[in-house]
Amino acid sequence: MAMKLMLLIFSLFYSILPFLVLVSPVDIEYQAIFNFGDSNSDTGGLIAGLGGHLYPPNGQTYFHKPSGRFSDGRLIIDFLMRAMNLPFLNSYLDSVGAPEFRRGCNFAVAGSTILPSTAVSISPFSFGIQVAQFFRFKARVLELLGGKTDKFLPQEDYFKLGLYMFDIGQNDLAGAFYSKSEDQVLASIPTILLEFEAGVRKLYDQGARRFWIHNTGPLGCLPQNIAKFGGNPSKLDELGCVSSHNRASKVFNLQLYALCRKLQGEFIDANITYVDVFSIKFSLIANFSRNGFKHPTTACCGYGGPPLNYDARIFCGQTKNLNGSSVMAEGCDNANDYINWDGIHYTEAANLYVSQQILTGNYSNPPFSNKMPFLPKLKF
């Protein structure tokens, strides 16, 4: 009963969340971006860091080959960078091809969690490791600069003037459901956010002053989670998404928002922008047809056919022997018709939509629509 009451309170509070505004103004013109996260913003970290590789049709829409991104094309962060007239972020872990870090660096790695990694983690590069990598990056850059400038490295003042972006936490929640009850997952959220807070404080202590924090999306609407946890129709909501996962996402996001308010009250010389990605993605899925999509929760690249086209045994682009037959997880004919790319990640078309909504400023707290130096075109 207490848990139901808590969820009701969170649900009511979440409905008015967009109208609760932090007081600090937002500046969106930056010299450099330093990003921390998971596959939602990984531009090549996991592939470079673990020596693996993605298979076509990953990357088919924009890069025309696998680019280290888990999508058919660009990610939300790619669109945000271009909207700010900045180049795509190179991954900290990718040393091949003379990476250029003058306008920032990407520490995000697919599969990463906020909590320290374990023996079964997909990525060993948890949030704490990413923050430590940033400190190594900064120290090495300042050592190489020696008071001068370099066309490949950020200037010294960029570390103070730059934007620190975060999109992480999805894997902590989604992974926990494989071994914990919903109540146990909810109970673990404060511990997860304590770890996140510790990392943000370390960055602040090192001079970071501009923070841009994405909340987590509707995990229950990912084909991977529907396939695993949605076998019983009573477990699904009106959109066909797993209710427990979406409830956990909302509770996580509310506590993340509270943390942002707390830190803004303490860091009076900083700007902390909370971005409600959940609302954007949930609205996109709920109104998929109106937004130009045909398939809200079917994977474009996968195996198994409708309604989900997802099989956990075979990833996008792979060929495997399943049940005595050689099968391939192939891409769809038109990725622009799909919101989901591979059962876990979004298509470029969906990422474009989400980034455009972010750039309106209406889903940010504090909102920054009156600060926009550009007008995003809300069409594909």
Side-chain angles (χ1 to χ4, degrees):
M1 182 68 183
M3 182 60 70
K4 290 183 179 179
L5 179 59
M6 182 184 73
L7 289 173
L8 175 61
I9 293 172
F10 281 155
S11 178
L12 292 172
F13 185 70
Y14 198 87
S15 67
I16 63 171
L17 180 60
F19 305 101
L20 301 177
V21 180
L22 298 173
V23 296
S24 180
V26 176
D27 180 7
I28 54 174
E29 295 184 8
Y30 306 102
Q31 294 298 321
I33 307 292
F34 303 102
N35 184 69
F36 305 83
D38 51 34
S39 57
N40 288 325
S41 58
D42 181 359
T43 55
L46 184 69
I47 302 306
L50 298 185
H53 51 273
L54 292 172
Y55 301 92
N58 283 289
Q60 67 178 16
T61 299
Y62 183 80
F63 301 98
H64 307 300
K65 61 181 180 180
S67 66
R69 293 162 172 81
F70 290 80
S71 179
D72 61 309
R74 290 163 288 184
L75 307 179
I76 294 170
I77 191 171
D78 293 318
F79 290 113
L80 295 180
M81 294 296 293
R82 285 300 167 87
M84 297 179 188
N85 294 316
L86 296 172
F88 292 153
L89 281 183
N90 286 307
S91 169
Y92 172 74
L93 294 171
D94 195 354
S95 60
V96 179
E100 194 252 290
F101 296 116
R102 180 169 176 79
R103 305 308 294 271
C105 184
N106 192 4
F107 299 90
V109 178
S112 294
T113 53
I114 293 175
L115 293 177
S117 60
T118 67
V120 296
S121 297
I122 296 174
S123 165
F125 304 103
S126 62
F127 181 56
I129 297 298
Q130 293 180 25
V131 172
Q133 289 174 333
F134 167 78
F135 292 141
R136 163 64 180 166
F137 173 82
K138 179 180 178 181
R140 183 64 174 146
V141 166
L142 297 182
E143 177 186 346
L144 292 172
L145 288 178
K148 300 178 183 179
T149 60
D150 185 282
K151 64 179 181 179
F152 295 111
L153 301 176
Q155 296 179 195
E156 181 174 355
D157 61 348
Y158 285 9
F159 291 104
K160 183 175 182 179
L161 300 176
L163 177 67
Y164 292 76
M165 296 184 69
F166 307 86
D167 192 331
I168 194 168
Q170 172 174 309
N171 295 316
D172 294 88
L173 298 179
F177 272 101
Y178 283 83
S179 59
K180 298 178 179 180
S181 68
E182 180 181 350
D183 285 355
Q184 289 173 324
V185 173
L186 296 179
S188 71
I189 290 175
T191 301
I192 296 171
L193 291 178
L194 277 175
E195 187 75 16
F196 182 73
E197 178 182 355
V200 172
R201 286 185 180 278
K202 288 179 182 178
L203 292 168
Y204 177 84
D205 290 341
Q206 286 287 323
R209 291 296 182 269
R210 296 168 175 85
F211 301 91
W212 184 314
I213 301 172
H214 289 187
N215 68 12
T216 198
L219 301 181
C221 297
L222 298 178
Q224 180 191 55
N225 293 327
I226 299 173
K228 175 67 177 179
F229 301 96
N232 185 339
S234 67
K235 303 293 185 181
L236 303 177
D237 64 15
E238 68 278 7
L239 299 183
C241 304
V242 184
S243 299
S244 58
H245 285 59
N246 281 353
R247 283 195 296 264
S249 297
K250 289 182 178 181
V251 173
F252 176 89
N253 291 340
L254 283 168
Q255 294 189 29
L256 177 63
Y257 174 77
L259 173 60
C260 289
R261 293 206 64 174
K262 169 188 169 184
L263 293 177
Q264 184 66 77
E266 294 184 28
F267 303 162
I268 58 174
D269 59 339
N271 291 327
I272 299 177
T273 302
Y274 173 91
V275 185
D276 186 10
V277 174
F278 181 100
S279 291
I280 299 174
K281 290 183 175 180
F282 191 81
S283 176
L284 170 60
I285 294 168
N287 304 288
F288 67 93
S289 180
R290 185 189 311 168
N291 291 312
F293 294 90
K294 296 180 180 179
H295 308 283
T297 55
T298 302
C300 169
C301 185
Y303 174 75
L308 299 177
N309 194 35
Y310 177 81
D311 190 314
R313 298 172 295 176
I314 181 170
F315 299 116
C316 175
Q318 285 186 329
T319 299
K320 277 191 174 182
N321 190 297
L322 298 182
N323 303 322
S325 301
S326 179
V327 299
M328 180 179 182
E330 299 180 289
C332 58
D333 292 333
N334 187 359
N336 288 338
D337 291 338
Y338 291 74
I339 291 175
N340 194 278
W341 169 241
D342 58 4
I344 306 172
H345 310 98
Y346 285 56
T347 60
E348 176 177 280
N351 287 329
L352 172 61
Y353 175 87
V354 174
S355 65
Q356 289 173 332
Q357 296 305 307
I358 290 173
L359 290 169
T360 65
N362 296 326
Y363 292 89
S364 294
N365 201 309
F368 56 87
S369 57
N370 62 329
K371 301 277 187 178
M372 296 294 288
F374 42 77
L375 292 175
K377 298 178 180 179
L378 301 179
K379 63 181 180 180
F380 298 136

